[in-house]
Amino acid sequence: MMHIALVGNPNTGKTSLFNQLTGTYEYVGNWSGVTVEKKVGVLRSKKAKMIDLPGVYSLHPLSRDERVVTQFLLTESFDKILNIVDASQLERNLLLTVQLLEFGKPLAIALNMVDVAERRGIFIDQTKLAEALRVPVVPVIARTGKGCDEVERTLLEKVAEQTELFTLFYGEAMERAIERFIASWGTEEQFPVRWLAIQFYEGNSYVRDYVAEKWPEATWRSLYEQAEKEVQHAEQMSLAQFIYEKRRSFVKEVIQQVVQRTEIGQVTLTDRIDAVVTNKYIGIPLFLLAMYILFQLTFDWLGAPLSDLLDAFFAGPLTDSVTALLEAIGASEFIRALVVDGVIAGVGGVLVFVPQIFILFFFISFLEDSGYMARVALVMDRLMEAVGLNGKAFIPLIIGFGCNVPGVMAARTIEQPRERLVTTLLTPLMSCSARLPVYALFVGAFFAAHQAIVVLSLYVLGISLALILAKLFSLTILKEETSVFVVELPPYRMPQWQALWRSTWDKGKGFVKKAGTFIFGGSVAIWLLSYVGPHGVNVNMDDSFLAMIGGILAPLLAPLGFGTWQAGAALLTGFLAKEVVVSTMNIIYHVPDVESLQGLMATHFTPLSAFSFMVFVLLYVPCLATVATIYKETGSRKWTMFSIGYALVLAYIVSFVIYQVGGLFGF
Amino acid sequence: MVAMTQLRVGERAKIVDLSQVSDLVKRRLLDMGVTEGAEICLKCTMPLGGPFMIENCGQCVGIRRHEAMNIQVKPL
């Protein structure tokens, strides 16, 4: 099957176009760096595969997600390129197009956001653009899908297999250097060696590594230095700058031919929103207010009533009808106990929180899709700079509120390796949606009057600790690296309902799926452990294997206020996924619904020890999936172990302090 | 010719010299079309020495104050 690579600048609607063309849906956002890994989909006509790559400004990578593109071009086999171009930012988009044309693969351009450009008074003559670059150009509106059929037809039919190689003349000195490189290279490549030479001279770090694998350092260094000297002499410019300028003057010429501008003096909506949102004085308070509203909606105003309805359904009609059904088919007492006390209590106890989690994901999707996320990076940069990171590190942290796994992955867009590492290590401190069921259970039992404030305090605690640790880490492991911050602020746009729902579902379905697999299996295992003991089956739960295992931890946890085997067992199982803590508690305390569990817990916890327990759950270890992602992202066993180790120590210390100091004040 | 930090919010200027800016930041600015000769407008600044937001051809970019201090511009 034919493979088509989708390449373009960040935030040009690449993923939207990918979704339209392939009929699948990937995660879409309005900030640079939504796609950090390549993704593959099949075209609607099933005639070709499409590969969605992270957005890049140039093939010369600065951050790790950008390396993915250069690596893809150099090492993977594919047939055609679809280059998506933002019509409202033609100049910088075409700078990338030139590099792609030099790469020599058959290419088509999808010209996106023509409507945005026209509103700004930029009119592009597509026929002339196609002539100037000698490739097909198709106008599209990726968000609505307009023009996508035409793109597909063009890709499959009009893009010739063999095109005459696009050659930009770089001036005599540079051309001599390119020829020297090609002559010494010798070997055949899947791509033009001329492209390799140009990228090498431009200082592309990935290409340099590629060249260095073949040549000894002395060879490539002398080639590079000779070129640098000759170009400097002839043009009074550094090599990289000269190559950039040459491309730019070509692009400017093209733009001169194809673009018509009319002055439109009107103030755009984005300008008006930014005047408020990024206002010097109210920018930060506004962000905090937005967060506060988000939490109120999730917990108090919308989420809680919906959860209660669901809980009533699980505890009442569902349990009753399942029990009746099992009786009717004559199931044994064991099976009945397993299904009702194990599966329904365990899985149902977690599913009750689906409404809250979906509401949270919905608002996070809204923030991403609207373009506000990039402003958050801007508004929070000063604070992040103070702790040695930059504003962009705030985006993974906010995404981490939904789920730590994509949060850790979003850290890839940070340019400096150490800043990226610290952000990766700290993202698990963000209170993800899976921890919500635990909080909801406890705040409902002990802090009914102040639910939102108590939960908010846990989120704030997570962020505060992350900032303090960032400062600590930046003084130790990341010293000697200066922090860098340049962020693109895209125009605002009203998210489309369909796209919002899709991305909410996309994020939330993982939670539902987990309930069906992990939590289902975990519930059965935990129930069995509680049902079986050293002295036989159907034992008193205090004599079960589960009590024995939890009992080992209990003395260690006593100084934190929850030294019971039940808490120990629940925390142990919580490593699988944090919401399993709730499943385990439901099974252990053997109750039909959340309400009666909360009543029962009042005898095992005090408000203070409940708070201490929630803090411990917030901090103690990243869940299994997050640990796996951290390992994948850092590629280091040492840092992965560190992420678990520091979290455990931190959780113990903070819970200890809260319980002991709180005790002194008589709580 | 003045440093970008001398501009008032809403003022337009032409970038004259980027040579004092750190390499990584310069590359990123180049990627976004902010080069010598480009016309920019200072959109807003964040408090307590926070970042600057500038606009260039309808594209907004956020940079830090100390980088802005190293960018020489000519007010228009």
Side-chain angles (χ1 to χ4, degrees):
Chain A
M1 206 191 272
M2 187 162 49
H3 285 71
I4 301 166
L6 180 59
V7 191
N9 275 201
N11 216 32
T12 47
K14 245 180 319 70
T15 305
S16 293
L17 183 64
F18 178 82
N19 289 346
Q20 295 285 358
L21 285 171
T22 60
T24 49
Y25 49 89
E26 285 298 344
Y27 187 33
V28 181
N30 187 12
W31 47 283
S32 308
V34 177
T35 309
V36 288
E37 183 74 270
K38 63 173 185 177
K39 287 170 189 147
V40 185
V42 179
L43 285 190
R44 283 181 194 273
S45 64
K46 311 264 183 283
K47 286 188 185 140
K49 277 192 176 160
M50 179 131 249
I51 300 125
D52 186 19
L53 294 164
V56 286
Y57 298 105
S58 154
L59 294 179
H60 170 176
L62 284 184
S63 62
R64 207 178 129 194
D65 56 323
E66 295 178 331
R67 270 180 97 84
V68 172
V69 179
T70 316
Q71 184 187 16
F72 177 86
L73 292 180
L74 277 177
T75 59
E76 308 231 0
S77 88
F78 62 101
D79 307 287
K80 291 174 182 178
I81 296 175
L82 177 61
N83 178 206
I84 181 165
V85 166
D86 178 351
S88 64
Q89 295 294 337
L90 207 54
E91 186 176 320
R92 69 176 166 86
N93 277 262
L94 289 182
L95 283 171
L96 176 67
T97 307
V98 170
Q99 298 180 54
L100 292 173
L101 286 170
E102 286 176 331
F103 192 73
K105 284 274 183 199
L107 181 145
I109 288 176
L111 193 63
N112 196 16
M113 308 207 198
V114 180
D115 47 340
V116 180
E118 285 178 4
R119 248 176 281 144
R120 294 233 310 269
I122 302 167
F123 296 89
I124 298 167
D125 186 332
Q126 294 136 20
T127 337
K128 278 192 186 157
L129 182 62
E131 274 167 23
L133 300 174
R134 280 179 291 163
V135 290
V137 175
V138 186
V140 291
I141 299 173
R143 297 184 69 207
T144 60
K146 201 175 153 209
C148 287
D149 294 341
E150 185 59 33
V151 171
E152 185 165 338
R153 219 169 314 132
T154 308
L155 278 172
L156 294 174
E157 291 159 17
K158 288 199 195 145
V159 184
E161 286 296 338
Q162 276 298 324
T163 41
E164 191 192 333
L165 182 62
F166 170 92
T167 324
L168 180 62
F169 182 71
Y170 282 93
E172 302 220 340
M174 183 61 198
E175 289 295 332
R176 276 200 305 278
I178 293 172
E179 262 164 43
R180 277 197 300 272
F181 184 97
I182 296 173
S184 350
W185 188 255
T187 27
E188 279 284 308
E189 294 285 351
Q190 291 178 330
F191 47 83
V193 180
R194 180 182 167 83
W195 177 86
L196 195 70
I198 296 166
Q199 292 289 329
F200 167 77
Y201 287 128
E202 201 190 353
N204 184 327
S205 57
Y206 192 89
V207 166
R208 183 166 291 181
D209 293 344
Y210 187 84
V211 170
E213 255 173 50
K214 192 177 170 215
W215 280 346
E217 190 172 337
T219 314
W220 63 258
R221 212 167 265 289
S222 75
L223 263 177
Y224 184 84
E225 277 161 10
Q226 190 182 355
E228 172 90 4
K229 210 163 73 192
E230 288 183 20
V231 167
Q232 186 78 45
H233 181 76
E235 320 281 350
Q236 282 80 46
M237 245 187 253
S238 78
L239 203 45
Q241 197 190 353
F242 176 69
I243 294 172
Y244 175 85
E245 290 297 339
K246 274 285 171 195
R247 275 194 202 125
R248 201 157 81 115
S249 58
F250 170 75
V251 167
K252 281 203 160 147
E253 243 169 70
V254 171
I255 289 177
Q256 201 98 56
Q257 292 168 31
V258 306
V259 173
Q260 287 225 327
R261 270 172 210 277
T262 47
E263 262 322 305
I264 292 181
Q266 92 197 74
V267 183
T268 64
L269 183 64
T270 292
D271 285 334
R272 260 177 277 161
I273 298 175
D274 269 340
V276 180
V277 164
T278 59
N279 179 285
K280 190 165 186 167
Y281 304 103
I282 64 172
I284 293 174
L286 209 62
F287 168 66
L288 295 176
L289 181 71
M291 287 287 127
Y292 178 74
I293 292 174
L294 191 155
F295 287 117
Q296 280 291 348
L297 273 171
T298 308
F299 301 110
D300 269 9
W301 300 338
L302 250 174
L306 288 173
S307 277
D308 288 346
L309 280 179
L310 211 56
D311 190 31
F313 169 73
F314 282 131
L318 187 71
T319 308
D320 292 347
S321 52
V322 169
T323 314
L325 183 75
L326 289 171
E327 261 166 29
I329 60 167
S332 68
E333 179 59 31
F334 172 78
I335 296 288
R336 247 185 289 164
L338 173 67
V339 173
V340 176
D341 302 338
V343 175
I344 295 185
V347 178
V350 167
L351 282 183
V352 165
F353 298 101
V354 163
Q356 265 133 328
I357 285 163
F358 272 76
I359 293 169
L360 183 66
F361 279 136
F362 179 83
F363 286 106
I364 291 181
S365 301
F366 185 88
L367 289 185
E368 283 179 336
D369 220 14
S370 63
Y372 186 56
M373 218 49 139
R375 270 76 183 179
V376 171
L378 183 81
V379 169
M380 299 312 284
D381 180 64
R382 183 66 195 91
L383 177 68
M384 298 304 274
E385 189 184 13
V387 299
L389 295 176
N390 76 60
K392 274 190 200 171
F394 214 77
I395 296 178
L397 298 187
I398 292 184
I399 293 182
F401 283 149
C403 175
N404 290 169
V405 172
V408 166
M409 289 177 71
R412 283 191 193 177
T413 57
I414 297 166
E415 285 91 350
Q416 301 280 69
R418 299 240 175 144
E419 275 184 54
R420 188 163 59 230
L421 176 67
V422 171
T423 311
T424 304
L425 292 175
L426 295 178
T427 302
L429 294 181
M430 295 304 109
S431 184
C432 68
S433 59
R435 284 167 237 195
L436 253 180
V438 184
Y439 304 157
L441 179 70
F442 281 85
V443 293
F446 298 99
F447 307 100
H450 311 283
Q451 297 207 11
I453 283 294
V454 171
V455 175
L456 188 65
S457 74
L458 289 160
Y459 280 81
V460 172
L461 179 71
I463 297 187
S464 314
L465 288 171
L467 294 180
I468 293 168
L469 286 179
K471 183 73 193 168
L472 195 70
F473 290 164
S474 69
L475 290 174
T476 51
I477 56 178
L478 105 162
K479 59 181 176 191
E480 290 163 29
E481 191 180 74
T482 50
S483 165
V484 167
F485 176 73
V486 181
V487 69
E488 183 184 339
L489 302 155
Y492 289 103
R493 58 180 192 214
M494 191 58 204
Q496 287 183 308
W497 287 107
Q498 197 194 9
L500 263 186
W501 164 242
R502 275 178 173 180
S503 70
T504 307
W505 169 244
D506 221 32
K507 293 171 193 157
K509 76 177 179 206
F511 182 81
V512 178
K513 224 190 261 168
K514 252 195 307 184
T517 52
F518 253 103
I519 294 168
F520 180 84
S523 297
V524 171
I526 292 159
W527 181 80
L528 278 174
L529 280 175
S530 72
Y531 191 75
V532 185
H535 306 299
V537 295
N538 201 1
V539 293
N540 185 327
M541 208 180 288
D542 289 326
D543 300 323
S544 67
F545 282 121
L546 193 64
M548 283 174 61
I549 300 168
I552 301 171
L553 290 177
L556 276 173
L557 300 174
L560 312 184
F562 41 87
T564 59
W565 70 261
Q566 288 92 338
L571 288 172
L572 210 57
T573 54
F575 176 59
L576 288 177
K578 300 245 171 162
E579 62 268 44
V580 177
V581 170
V582 173
S583 302
T584 309
M585 294 226 152
N586 264 10
I587 295 169
I588 291 175
Y589 291 116
H590 191 60
V591 285
D593 57 20
V594 171
E595 222 162 280
S596 40
L597 176 59
Q598 287 171 339
L600 191 65
M601 277 183 349
T603 59
H604 289 80
F605 286 91
T606 64
L608 180 64
S609 70
F611 190 72
S612 165
F613 185 79
M614 286 192 282
V615 169
F616 197 81
V617 169
L618 163 67
L619 303 171
Y620 79 121
V621 274
C623 71
L624 196 60
T626 308
V627 170
T629 312
I630 292 176
Y631 181 64
K632 209 175 123 215
E633 293 298 308
T634 58
S636 145
R637 199 158 295 163
K638 188 185 100 188
W639 286 118
T640 311
M641 294 313 288
F642 180 77
S643 74
I644 298 175
Y646 94 80
L648 263 177
V649 172
L650 184 72
Y652 200 88
I653 294 174
V654 176
S655 290
F656 182 83
V657 169
I658 286 175
Y659 186 65
Q660 299 298 338
V661 174
L664 290 181
F665 285 94
F667 283 109
Chain B
M1 198 166 78
V2 296
M4 193 186 274
T5 41
Q6 304 288 311
L7 294 178
R8 283 185 311 275
V9 170
E11 200 173 357
R12 303 195 71 85
K14 196 172 219 150
I15 294 187
V16 183
D17 184 11
L18 277 173
S19 61
Q20 300 305 308
V21 181
S22 72
D23 282 343
L24 208 53
V25 173
K26 193 156 54 182
R27 244 304 299 283
R28 267 281 177 263
L29 287 175
L30 232 58
D31 284 341
M32 297 185 196
V34 180
T35 54
E36 282 155 14
E39 205 184 298
I40 56 112
C41 173
L42 180 63
K43 295 298 252 188
C44 69
T45 62
M46 290 289 125
L48 308 167
F52 277 49
M53 180 164 120
I54 57 173
E55 182 251 25
N56 157 257
C57 302
Q59 164 70 63
C60 290
V61 182
I63 53 169
R64 282 196 168 147
R65 177 184 288 268
H66 64 86
E67 307 287 0
M69 210 138 47
N70 291 332
I71 298 176
Q72 297 294 320
V73 298
K74 201 171 126 215
L76 294 174

